[in-house]
Amino acid sequence: MGLLSNYLLRKSKGDEWYFFRYIPSISKLTPMALLFTIFVMFSLKGDKIIELPLDVMRVAIPYTLYFSLMFFVTFYLAHRMKIPYEKAVTVSFTASSNDFELAIAVAVAVFGVSSAQAFATVIGPLVEVPVLVGLVHVALYFRRRLMSVA
């Protein structure tokens, strides 16, 4: 849909109208659509999350390891490359976070709402948010430690 609207609207209305009128107005709908999708998925999978705590843990543990590993490896490499702290942290969080909204959409489209794949993608944001909040504290610790050395 985006590709089609990009092509047709830019061709008929022009680049300036498309980028400065259309995109800002339509981009307001994006977060609402994402929140709606996540709300529906959590609503549909909430009973499974409660019924299958071991399956939740089986999915949550690798996610936790992935987020943490990506953050620490990226931060370490950025620090070794002498990238400033602020950019190193930004890159580390970008590398460690995932695009679960895309994963949810793909899992639902390919495997269906009631699939195990959709269930696993719903667990992702439930794990991602607290892990990344914890990594914020790690990043702040790194800042205190690195800034006191400099």
Side-chain angles (χ1 to χ4, degrees), residues 3-78:
L3 186 61
L4 187 61
S5 68
N6 181 320
Y7 176 75
L8 293 175
L9 292 174
R10 286 177 70 188
K11 188 174 181 179
S12 65
K13 300 272 191 171
D15 283 352
E16 187 161 330
W17 179 88
Y18 181 80
F19 287 111
F20 295 105
R21 298 281 307 255
Y22 177 72
I23 292 295
S25 66
I26 197 76
S27 66
K28 294 173 187 168
L29 296 175
T30 306
M32 289 185 281
L34 171 61
L35 288 173
F36 176 75
T37 303
I38 291 173
F39 175 77
V40 168
M41 288 301 297
F42 286 148
S43 298
L44 293 172
K45 296 296 179 185
D47 59 330
K48 291 270 191 204
I49 292 170
I50 293 169
E51 284 176 24
L52 305 168
L54 292 178
D55 286 353
V56 171
M57 291 306 294
R58 195 175 61 169
V59 172
I61 290 170
Y63 279 149
T64 302
L65 293 173
Y66 170 80
F67 298 138
S68 301
L69 184 67
M70 289 302 293
F71 178 85
F72 287 112
V73 167
T74 305
F75 189 88
Y76 173 77
L77 291 173

Side-chain angles (χ1 to χ4, degrees), residues 22 43 65 92 108 118 126 135:
Y22 177 72
S43 298
L65 293 173
S92 299
V108 168
L126 294 175
L135 290 172

Side-chain angles (χ1 to χ4, degrees), residues 59-102:
V59 172
I61 290 170
Y63 279 149
T64 302
L65 293 173
Y66 170 80
F67 298 138
S68 301
L69 184 67
M70 289 302 293
F71 178 85
F72 287 112
V73 167
T74 305
F75 189 88
Y76 173 77
L77 291 173
H79 181 67
R80 293 280 300 183
M81 295 169 66
K82 307 250 187 276
I83 294 174
Y85 167 82
E86 292 79 8
K87 289 183 182 180
V89 168
T90 302
V91 154
S92 299
F93 276 111
T94 301
S96 63
S97 67
N98 261 314
D99 294 320
F100 279 108
E101 60 277 0
L102 180 60

